[in-house]
mmCIF file of all heavy atoms in Angstrom:
data_model
loop_
_atom_site.group_PDB
_atom_site.id
_atom_site.type_symbol
_atom_site.label_atom_id
_atom_site.label_comp_id
_atom_site.label_asym_id
_atom_site.label_seq_id
_atom_site.Cartn_x
_atom_site.Cartn_y
_atom_site.Cartn_z
ATOM 1 N N ASP A 1141 0.833 -1.201 0.000
ATOM 2 C CA ASP A 1141 0.000 0.000 0.000
ATOM 3 C C ASP A 1141 0.866 1.249 0.000
ATOM 4 O O ASP A 1141 0.509 2.243 -0.613
ATOM 5 C CB ASP A 1141 -0.915 0.027 1.228
ATOM 6 C CG ASP A 1141 -2.038 -0.991 1.135
ATOM 7 O OD1 ASP A 1141 -2.513 -1.255 0.011
ATOM 8 O OD2 ASP A 1141 -2.439 -1.529 2.180
ATOM 9 N N MET A 1142 1.968 1.183 0.733
ATOM 10 C CA MET A 1142 2.894 2.317 0.799
ATOM 11 C C MET A 1142 4.314 1.796 0.728
ATOM 12 O O MET A 1142 4.606 0.720 1.245
ATOM 13 C CB MET A 1142 2.723 3.107 2.097
ATOM 14 C CG MET A 1142 1.394 3.794 2.216
ATOM 15 S SD MET A 1142 1.400 5.086 3.454
ATOM 16 C CE MET A 1142 2.411 6.315 2.696
ATOM 17 N N VAL A 1143 5.170 2.575 0.089
ATOM 18 C CA VAL A 1143 6.597 2.274 0.083
ATOM 19 C C VAL A 1143 7.306 3.552 0.500
ATOM 20 O O VAL A 1143 7.088 4.619 -0.080
ATOM 21 C CB VAL A 1143 7.093 1.808 -1.305
ATOM 22 C CG1 VAL A 1143 8.590 1.541 -1.266
ATOM 23 C CG2 VAL A 1143 6.332 0.574 -1.754
ATOM 24 N N ILE A 1144 8.123 3.441 1.535
ATOM 25 C CA ILE A 1144 8.840 4.585 2.082
ATOM 26 C C ILE A 1144 10.329 4.297 2.009
ATOM 27 O O ILE A 1144 10.785 3.242 2.471
ATOM 28 C CB ILE A 1144 8.423 4.838 3.550
ATOM 29 C CG1 ILE A 1144 6.915 5.093 3.617
ATOM 30 C CG2 ILE A 1144 9.226 5.995 4.149
ATOM 31 C CD1 ILE A 1144 6.354 5.110 5.015
ATOM 32 N N GLY A 1145 11.071 5.209 1.414
ATOM 33 C CA GLY A 1145 12.520 5.080 1.329
ATOM 34 C C GLY A 1145 13.181 6.018 2.321
ATOM 35 O O GLY A 1145 12.735 7.147 2.516
ATOM 36 N N ILE A 1146 14.225 5.547 2.961
ATOM 37 C CA ILE A 1146 14.992 6.382 3.883
ATOM 38 C C ILE A 1146 16.417 6.435 3.357
ATOM 39 O O ILE A 1146 17.067 5.409 3.197
ATOM 40 C CB ILE A 1146 14.952 5.839 5.322
ATOM 41 C CG1 ILE A 1146 13.495 5.760 5.797
ATOM 42 C CG2 ILE A 1146 15.785 6.729 6.245
ATOM 43 C CD1 ILE A 1146 13.325 5.148 7.164
ATOM 44 N N GLU A 1147 16.875 7.648 3.075
ATOM 45 C CA GLU A 1147 18.189 7.866 2.465
ATOM 46 C C GLU A 1147 19.078 8.632 3.431
ATOM 47 O O GLU A 1147 18.600 9.509 4.146
ATOM 48 C CB GLU A 1147 18.035 8.717 1.191
ATOM 49 C CG GLU A 1147 17.003 8.195 0.229
ATOM 50 C CD GLU A 1147 16.458 9.268 -0.696
ATOM 51 O OE1 GLU A 1147 16.837 10.460 -0.581
ATOM 52 O OE2 GLU A 1147 15.619 8.931 -1.544
ATOM 53 N N ARG A 1148 20.367 8.286 3.426
ATOM 54 C CA ARG A 1148 21.321 9.105 4.176
ATOM 55 C C ARG A 1148 22.716 8.898 3.630
ATOM 56 O O ARG A 1148 23.045 7.857 3.083
ATOM 57 C CB ARG A 1148 21.249 8.861 5.667
ATOM 58 C CG ARG A 1148 22.090 7.780 6.221
ATOM 59 C CD ARG A 1148 21.834 7.627 7.710
ATOM 60 N NE ARG A 1148 22.225 6.292 8.092
ATOM 61 C CZ ARG A 1148 23.284 6.021 8.823
ATOM 62 N NH1 ARG A 1148 24.046 6.984 9.293
ATOM 63 N NH2 ARG A 1148 23.590 4.787 9.100
ATOM 64 N N ASN A 1149 23.517 9.916 3.785
ATOM 65 C CA ASN A 1149 24.898 9.877 3.330
ATOM 66 C C ASN A 1149 25.771 9.528 4.527
ATOM 67 O O ASN A 1149 26.141 10.396 5.316
ATOM 68 C CB ASN A 1149 25.309 11.210 2.719
ATOM 69 C CG ASN A 1149 26.673 11.154 2.082
ATOM 70 O OD1 ASN A 1149 27.472 10.256 2.367
ATOM 71 N ND2 ASN A 1149 26.947 12.102 1.213
ATOM 72 N N GLN A 1150 26.107 8.262 4.644
ATOM 73 C CA GLN A 1150 26.901 7.785 5.774
ATOM 74 C C GLN A 1150 28.352 8.244 5.700
ATOM 75 O O GLN A 1150 29.076 8.171 6.692
ATOM 76 C CB GLN A 1150 26.895 6.255 5.806
ATOM 77 C CG GLN A 1150 25.539 5.651 5.939
ATOM 78 C CD GLN A 1150 25.581 4.141 5.744
ATOM 79 O OE1 GLN A 1150 26.629 3.549 5.541
ATOM 80 N NE2 GLN A 1150 24.430 3.514 5.824
ATOM 81 N N GLN A 1151 28.784 8.710 4.546
ATOM 82 C CA GLN A 1151 30.186 9.071 4.334
ATOM 83 C C GLN A 1151 30.481 10.529 4.659
ATOM 84 O O GLN A 1151 31.635 10.910 4.809
ATOM 85 C CB GLN A 1151 30.584 8.787 2.881
ATOM 86 C CG GLN A 1151 30.215 7.392 2.385
ATOM 87 C CD GLN A 1151 30.683 6.278 3.299
ATOM 88 O OE1 GLN A 1151 31.833 6.266 3.725
ATOM 89 N NE2 GLN A 1151 29.796 5.349 3.610
ATOM 90 N N ASP A 1152 29.465 11.368 4.743
ATOM 91 C CA ASP A 1152 29.646 12.798 4.997
ATOM 92 C C ASP A 1152 29.593 13.059 6.504
ATOM 93 O O ASP A 1152 28.559 12.856 7.139
ATOM 94 C CB ASP A 1152 28.552 13.589 4.274
ATOM 95 C CG ASP A 1152 28.745 15.082 4.353
ATOM 96 O OD1 ASP A 1152 29.078 15.602 5.445
ATOM 97 O OD2 ASP A 1152 28.557 15.748 3.323
ATOM 98 N N GLU A 1153 30.687 13.506 7.077
ATOM 99 C CA GLU A 1153 30.759 13.722 8.529
ATOM 100 C C GLU A 1153 29.705 14.697 9.041
ATOM 101 O O GLU A 1153 29.199 14.545 10.150
ATOM 102 C CB GLU A 1153 32.154 14.209 8.927
ATOM 103 C CG GLU A 1153 33.192 13.108 8.957
ATOM 104 C CD GLU A 1153 32.857 11.975 9.924
ATOM 105 O OE1 GLU A 1153 32.437 12.255 11.063
ATOM 106 O OE2 GLU A 1153 32.994 10.805 9.528
ATOM 107 N N ASP A 1154 29.361 15.710 8.250
ATOM 108 C CA ASP A 1154 28.374 16.705 8.684
ATOM 109 C C ASP A 1154 26.938 16.202 8.559
ATOM 110 O O ASP A 1154 26.050 16.692 9.246
ATOM 111 C CB ASP A 1154 28.524 17.993 7.873
ATOM 112 C CG ASP A 1154 29.853 18.683 8.137
ATOM 113 O OD1 ASP A 1154 30.344 18.616 9.283
ATOM 114 O OD2 ASP A 1154 30.406 19.284 7.190
ATOM 115 N N LEU A 1155 26.700 15.242 7.671
ATOM 116 C CA LEU A 1155 25.332 14.815 7.378
ATOM 117 C C LEU A 1155 25.024 13.363 7.748
ATOM 118 O O LEU A 1155 23.896 12.912 7.573
ATOM 119 C CB LEU A 1155 25.053 14.994 5.873
ATOM 120 C CG LEU A 1155 25.196 16.402 5.324
ATOM 121 C CD1 LEU A 1155 25.021 16.406 3.813
ATOM 122 C CD2 LEU A 1155 24.212 17.337 5.992
ATOM 123 N N LYS A 1156 25.996 12.633 8.269
ATOM 124 C CA LYS A 1156 25.817 11.187 8.448
ATOM 125 C C LYS A 1156 24.713 10.800 9.425
ATOM 126 O O LYS A 1156 24.232 9.668 9.385
ATOM 127 C CB LYS A 1156 27.128 10.518 8.830
ATOM 128 C CG LYS A 1156 27.648 10.864 10.196
ATOM 129 C CD LYS A 1156 28.958 10.145 10.448
ATOM 130 C CE LYS A 1156 29.491 10.471 11.821
ATOM 131 N NZ LYS A 1156 30.759 9.782 12.043
ATOM 132 N N ASN A 1157 24.267 11.694 10.268
ATOM 133 C CA ASN A 1157 23.173 11.396 11.198
ATOM 134 C C ASN A 1157 21.835 11.942 10.714
ATOM 135 O O ASN A 1157 20.847 11.889 11.439
ATOM 136 C CB ASN A 1157 23.489 11.929 12.591
ATOM 137 C CG ASN A 1157 24.640 11.187 13.225
ATOM 138 O OD1 ASN A 1157 24.784 9.982 13.047
ATOM 139 N ND2 ASN A 1157 25.487 11.897 13.942
ATOM 140 N N GLN A 1158 21.827 12.484 9.489
ATOM 141 C CA GLN A 1158 20.590 13.017 8.920
ATOM 142 C C GLN A 1158 20.063 12.097 7.829
ATOM 143 O O GLN A 1158 20.833 11.575 7.031
ATOM 144 C CB GLN A 1158 20.822 14.405 8.341
ATOM 145 C CG GLN A 1158 21.160 15.430 9.394
ATOM 146 C CD GLN A 1158 21.276 16.813 8.803
ATOM 147 O OE1 GLN A 1158 20.810 17.081 7.708
ATOM 148 N NE2 GLN A 1158 21.903 17.703 9.541
ATOM 149 N N SER A 1159 18.766 11.899 7.815
ATOM 150 C CA SER A 1159 18.126 11.045 6.821
ATOM 151 C C SER A 1159 17.027 11.805 6.110
ATOM 152 O O SER A 1159 16.380 12.679 6.695
ATOM 153 C CB SER A 1159 17.501 9.807 7.478
ATOM 154 O OG SER A 1159 18.478 9.030 8.113
ATOM 155 N N THR A 1160 16.816 11.444 4.858
ATOM 156 C CA THR A 1160 15.711 11.968 4.073
ATOM 157 C C THR A 1160 14.676 10.865 3.939
ATOM 158 O O THR A 1160 15.007 9.733 3.580
ATOM 159 C CB THR A 1160 16.191 12.394 2.672
ATOM 160 O OG1 THR A 1160 17.166 13.421 2.821
ATOM 161 C CG2 THR A 1160 15.047 12.891 1.813
ATOM 162 N N VAL A 1161 13.417 11.185 4.237
ATOM 163 C CA VAL A 1161 12.324 10.224 4.114
ATOM 164 C C VAL A 1161 11.547 10.583 2.848
ATOM 165 O O VAL A 1161 11.108 11.715 2.681
ATOM 166 C CB VAL A 1161 11.400 10.262 5.352
ATOM 167 C CG1 VAL A 1161 10.252 9.277 5.199
ATOM 168 C CG2 VAL A 1161 12.197 9.982 6.621
ATOM 169 N N ARG A 1162 11.417 9.591 1.969
ATOM 170 C CA ARG A 1162 10.777 9.810 0.677
ATOM 171 C C ARG A 1162 9.642 8.797 0.502
ATOM 172 O O ARG A 1162 9.852 7.600 0.676
ATOM 173 C CB ARG A 1162 11.813 9.636 -0.434
ATOM 174 C CG ARG A 1162 11.376 10.056 -1.800
ATOM 175 C CD ARG A 1162 12.525 10.004 -2.796
ATOM 176 N NE ARG A 1162 13.731 10.682 -2.364
ATOM 177 C CZ ARG A 1162 13.937 12.000 -2.431
ATOM 178 N NH1 ARG A 1162 12.995 12.777 -2.924
ATOM 179 N NH2 ARG A 1162 15.078 12.528 -2.019
ATOM 180 N N ILE A 1163 8.450 9.275 0.168
ATOM 181 C CA ILE A 1163 7.314 8.402 -0.110
ATOM 182 C C ILE A 1163 7.398 8.003 -1.578
ATOM 183 O O ILE A 1163 7.308 8.842 -2.472
ATOM 184 C CB ILE A 1163 5.962 9.100 0.175
ATOM 185 C CG1 ILE A 1163 5.931 9.694 1.585
ATOM 186 C CG2 ILE A 1163 4.798 8.132 -0.059
ATOM 187 C CD1 ILE A 1163 6.156 8.722 2.709
ATOM 188 N N LEU A 1164 7.597 6.706 -1.824
ATOM 189 C CA LEU A 1164 7.757 6.199 -3.180
ATOM 190 C C LEU A 1164 6.435 5.700 -3.762
ATOM 191 O O LEU A 1164 6.254 5.687 -4.976
ATOM 192 C CB LEU A 1164 8.788 5.071 -3.202
ATOM 193 C CG LEU A 1164 10.153 5.417 -2.610
ATOM 194 C CD1 LEU A 1164 11.054 4.200 -2.579
ATOM 195 C CD2 LEU A 1164 10.799 6.549 -3.393
ATOM 196 N N LYS A 1165 5.534 5.262 -2.881
ATOM 197 C CA LYS A 1165 4.204 4.819 -3.315
ATOM 198 C C LYS A 1165 3.231 5.102 -2.186
ATOM 199 O O LYS A 1165 3.554 4.910 -1.015
ATOM 200 C CB LYS A 1165 4.208 3.327 -3.624
ATOM 201 C CG LYS A 1165 2.835 2.811 -4.031
ATOM 202 C CD LYS A 1165 2.849 1.339 -4.332
ATOM 203 C CE LYS A 1165 1.445 0.877 -4.714
ATOM 204 N NZ LYS A 1165 1.442 -0.557 -5.025
ATOM 205 N N ASN A 1166 2.036 5.554 -2.570
ATOM 206 C CA ASN A 1166 1.002 5.835 -1.587
ATOM 207 C C ASN A 1166 -0.345 5.492 -2.217
ATOM 208 O O ASN A 1166 -0.917 6.294 -2.947
ATOM 209 C CB ASN A 1166 1.051 7.306 -1.176
ATOM 210 C CG ASN A 1166 0.057 7.644 -0.104
ATOM 211 O OD1 ASN A 1166 -0.897 6.916 0.134
ATOM 212 N ND2 ASN A 1166 0.280 8.770 0.540
ATOM 213 N N ARG A 1167 -0.796 4.290 -1.961
ATOM 214 C CA ARG A 1167 -2.054 3.825 -2.554
ATOM 215 C C ARG A 1167 -3.256 4.585 -2.000
ATOM 216 O O ARG A 1167 -4.300 4.659 -2.632
ATOM 217 C CB ARG A 1167 -2.213 2.327 -2.268
ATOM 218 C CG ARG A 1167 -3.326 1.663 -3.025
ATOM 219 C CD ARG A 1167 -3.355 0.179 -2.750
ATOM 220 N NE ARG A 1167 -2.095 -0.414 -3.124
ATOM 221 C CZ ARG A 1167 -1.948 -1.433 -3.945
ATOM 222 N NH1 ARG A 1167 -2.992 -1.979 -4.483
ATOM 223 N NH2 ARG A 1167 -0.763 -1.916 -4.222
ATOM 224 N N PHE A 1168 -3.124 5.166 -0.813
ATOM 225 C CA PHE A 1168 -4.259 5.799 -0.161
ATOM 226 C C PHE A 1168 -4.593 7.165 -0.756
ATOM 227 O O PHE A 1168 -5.745 7.479 -0.986
ATOM 228 C CB PHE A 1168 -4.010 5.915 1.342
ATOM 229 C CG PHE A 1168 -3.755 4.579 1.978
ATOM 230 C CD1 PHE A 1168 -2.499 4.258 2.465
ATOM 231 C CD2 PHE A 1168 -4.746 3.618 2.059
ATOM 232 C CE1 PHE A 1168 -2.246 3.022 3.033
ATOM 233 C CE2 PHE A 1168 -4.502 2.377 2.628
ATOM 234 C CZ PHE A 1168 -3.254 2.080 3.115
ATOM 235 N N SER A 1169 -3.586 7.996 -1.001
ATOM 236 C CA SER A 1169 -3.860 9.334 -1.521
ATOM 237 C C SER A 1169 -3.138 9.632 -2.829
ATOM 238 O O SER A 1169 -3.450 10.608 -3.484
ATOM 239 C CB SER A 1169 -3.455 10.401 -0.494
ATOM 240 O OG SER A 1169 -2.033 10.476 -0.402
ATOM 241 N N GLY A 1170 -2.163 8.823 -3.169
ATOM 242 C CA GLY A 1170 -1.393 9.064 -4.382
ATOM 243 C C GLY A 1170 -0.267 10.067 -4.217
ATOM 244 O O GLY A 1170 0.535 10.260 -5.119
ATOM 245 N N GLU A 1171 -0.206 10.703 -3.043
ATOM 246 C CA GLU A 1171 0.851 11.691 -2.812
ATOM 247 C C GLU A 1171 2.186 10.988 -2.614
ATOM 248 O O GLU A 1171 2.301 10.079 -1.798
ATOM 249 C CB GLU A 1171 0.533 12.534 -1.579
ATOM 250 C CG GLU A 1171 -0.707 13.384 -1.740
ATOM 251 C CD GLU A 1171 -1.052 14.092 -0.454
ATOM 252 O OE1 GLU A 1171 -1.654 13.441 0.420
ATOM 253 O OE2 GLU A 1171 -0.689 15.277 -0.331
ATOM 254 N N THR A 1172 3.191 11.411 -3.354
ATOM 255 C CA THR A 1172 4.532 10.844 -3.235
ATOM 256 C C THR A 1172 5.548 11.976 -3.214
ATOM 257 O O THR A 1172 5.210 13.128 -3.433
ATOM 258 C CB THR A 1172 4.847 9.887 -4.411
ATOM 259 O OG1 THR A 1172 4.747 10.623 -5.631
ATOM 260 C CG2 THR A 1172 3.908 8.700 -4.431
ATOM 261 N N GLY A 1173 6.784 11.625 -2.945
ATOM 262 C CA GLY A 1173 7.868 12.603 -2.948
ATOM 263 C C GLY A 1173 8.461 12.774 -1.565
ATOM 264 O O GLY A 1173 8.260 11.958 -0.658
ATOM 265 N N LEU A 1174 9.206 13.844 -1.411
ATOM 266 C CA LEU A 1174 9.899 14.139 -0.160
ATOM 267 C C LEU A 1174 8.896 14.306 0.981
ATOM 268 O O LEU A 1174 7.940 15.061 0.869
ATOM 269 C CB LEU A 1174 10.719 15.420 -0.326
ATOM 270 C CG LEU A 1174 11.553 15.854 0.863
ATOM 271 C CD1 LEU A 1174 12.614 14.808 1.183
ATOM 272 C CD2 LEU A 1174 12.201 17.189 0.585
ATOM 273 N N ALA A 1175 9.127 13.580 2.074
ATOM 274 C CA ALA A 1175 8.227 13.656 3.228
ATOM 275 C C ALA A 1175 8.812 14.544 4.322
ATOM 276 O O ALA A 1175 8.146 15.448 4.814
ATOM 277 C CB ALA A 1175 7.942 12.267 3.779
ATOM 278 N N CYS A 1176 10.065 14.270 4.708
ATOM 279 C CA CYS A 1176 10.690 15.048 5.771
ATOM 280 C C CYS A 1176 12.165 14.683 5.868
ATOM 281 O O CYS A 1176 12.642 13.811 5.157
ATOM 282 C CB CYS A 1176 10.000 14.816 7.115
ATOM 283 S SG CYS A 1176 10.212 13.151 7.789
ATOM 284 N N HIS A 1177 12.836 15.352 6.784
ATOM 285 C CA HIS A 1177 14.230 15.056 7.109
ATOM 286 C C HIS A 1177 14.298 14.743 8.596
ATOM 287 O O HIS A 1177 13.639 15.395 9.408
ATOM 288 C CB HIS A 1177 15.137 16.247 6.784
ATOM 289 C CG HIS A 1177 15.120 16.598 5.335
ATOM 290 N ND1 HIS A 1177 15.880 15.945 4.398
ATOM 291 C CD2 HIS A 1177 14.418 17.523 4.657
ATOM 292 C CE1 HIS A 1177 15.661 16.464 3.212
ATOM 293 N NE2 HIS A 1177 14.772 17.419 3.342
ATOM 294 N N LEU A 1178 15.080 13.736 8.939
ATOM 295 C CA LEU A 1178 15.221 13.320 10.329
ATOM 296 C C LEU A 1178 16.684 13.350 10.729
ATOM 297 O O LEU A 1178 17.566 13.142 9.907
ATOM 298 C CB LEU A 1178 14.689 11.895 10.510
ATOM 299 C CG LEU A 1178 13.246 11.635 10.132
ATOM 300 C CD1 LEU A 1178 12.936 10.146 10.207
ATOM 301 C CD2 LEU A 1178 12.303 12.425 11.028
ATOM 302 N N GLU A 1179 16.894 13.597 12.028
ATOM 303 C CA GLU A 1179 18.256 13.528 12.553
ATOM 304 C C GLU A 1179 18.275 12.555 13.718
ATOM 305 O O GLU A 1179 17.416 12.597 14.594
ATOM 306 C CB GLU A 1179 18.738 14.900 13.017
ATOM 307 C CG GLU A 1179 20.177 14.877 13.507
ATOM 308 C CD GLU A 1179 20.727 16.264 13.740
ATOM 309 O OE1 GLU A 1179 20.088 17.026 14.497
ATOM 310 O OE2 GLU A 1179 21.775 16.575 13.166
ATOM 311 N N PHE A 1180 19.286 11.676 13.717
ATOM 312 C CA PHE A 1180 19.462 10.713 14.788
ATOM 313 C C PHE A 1180 20.354 11.319 15.855
ATOM 314 O O PHE A 1180 21.451 11.794 15.568
ATOM 315 C CB PHE A 1180 20.091 9.419 14.257
ATOM 316 C CG PHE A 1180 20.286 8.385 15.323
ATOM 317 C CD1 PHE A 1180 19.203 7.708 15.849
ATOM 318 C CD2 PHE A 1180 21.552 8.093 15.802
ATOM 319 C CE1 PHE A 1180 19.375 6.748 16.839
ATOM 320 C CE2 PHE A 1180 21.735 7.139 16.787
ATOM 321 C CZ PHE A 1180 20.640 6.470 17.311
ATOM 322 N N ASN A 1181 19.877 11.314 17.098
ATOM 323 C CA ASN A 1181 20.636 11.833 18.220
ATOM 324 C C ASN A 1181 21.328 10.651 18.899
ATOM 325 O O ASN A 1181 20.673 9.778 19.473
ATOM 326 C CB ASN A 1181 19.717 12.554 19.203
ATOM 327 C CG ASN A 1181 20.457 13.185 20.343
ATOM 328 O OD1 ASN A 1181 21.330 12.582 20.959
ATOM 329 N ND2 ASN A 1181 20.103 14.425 20.643
ATOM 330 N N LEU A 1182 22.649 10.624 18.826
ATOM 331 C CA LEU A 1182 23.421 9.516 19.395
ATOM 332 C C LEU A 1182 23.260 9.407 20.904
ATOM 333 O O LEU A 1182 23.351 8.312 21.470
ATOM 334 C CB LEU A 1182 24.905 9.682 19.053
ATOM 335 C CG LEU A 1182 25.248 9.536 17.570
ATOM 336 C CD1 LEU A 1182 26.661 10.027 17.289
ATOM 337 C CD2 LEU A 1182 25.091 8.090 17.146
ATOM 338 N N ASN A 1183 23.018 10.518 21.594
ATOM 339 C CA ASN A 1183 22.895 10.509 23.059
ATOM 340 C C ASN A 1183 21.555 9.947 23.527
ATOM 341 O O ASN A 1183 21.493 9.259 24.543
ATOM 342 C CB ASN A 1183 23.096 11.908 23.616
ATOM 343 C CG ASN A 1183 24.500 12.418 23.368
ATOM 344 O OD1 ASN A 1183 25.468 11.665 23.462
ATOM 345 N ND2 ASN A 1183 24.629 13.691 23.024
ATOM 346 N N THR A 1184 20.479 10.273 22.790
ATOM 347 C CA THR A 1184 19.149 9.842 23.224
ATOM 348 C C THR A 1184 18.651 8.614 22.469
ATOM 349 O O THR A 1184 17.716 7.955 22.924
ATOM 350 C CB THR A 1184 18.119 10.970 23.034
ATOM 351 O OG1 THR A 1184 18.004 11.250 21.631
ATOM 352 C CG2 THR A 1184 18.517 12.217 23.805
#
């Protein structure tokens, strides 16, 4: 029904904890594309 891709550049020291969430398929509404950006906090 939905396909969600999570992308991140593990090789870039400044960006390695940031991910891009992309909706690749959405059977419910048809909306696809960039969803948001997330950052992983190593401490929490």
Side-chain angles (χ1 to χ4, degrees):
D1141 288 327
M1142 294 198 70
V1143 179
I1144 301 170
I1146 302 176
E1147 309 157 358
R1148 88 183 157 109
N1149 187 341
Q1150 300 171 2
Q1151 310 309 313
D1152 186 316
E1153 283 301 316
D1154 294 326
L1155 301 175
K1156 68 180 180 181
N1157 293 323
Q1158 294 184 18
S1159 299
T1160 299
V1161 179
R1162 190 173 310 280
I1163 308 302
L1164 305 175
K1165 178 180 179 179
N1166 183 342
R1167 191 176 301 234
F1168 302 111
S1169 71
E1171 295 175 280
T1172 59
L1174 182 63
C1176 68
H1177 299 278
L1178 302 173
E1179 183 170 54
F1180 180 73
N1181 184 314
L1182 293 167
N1183 295 321
T1184 64

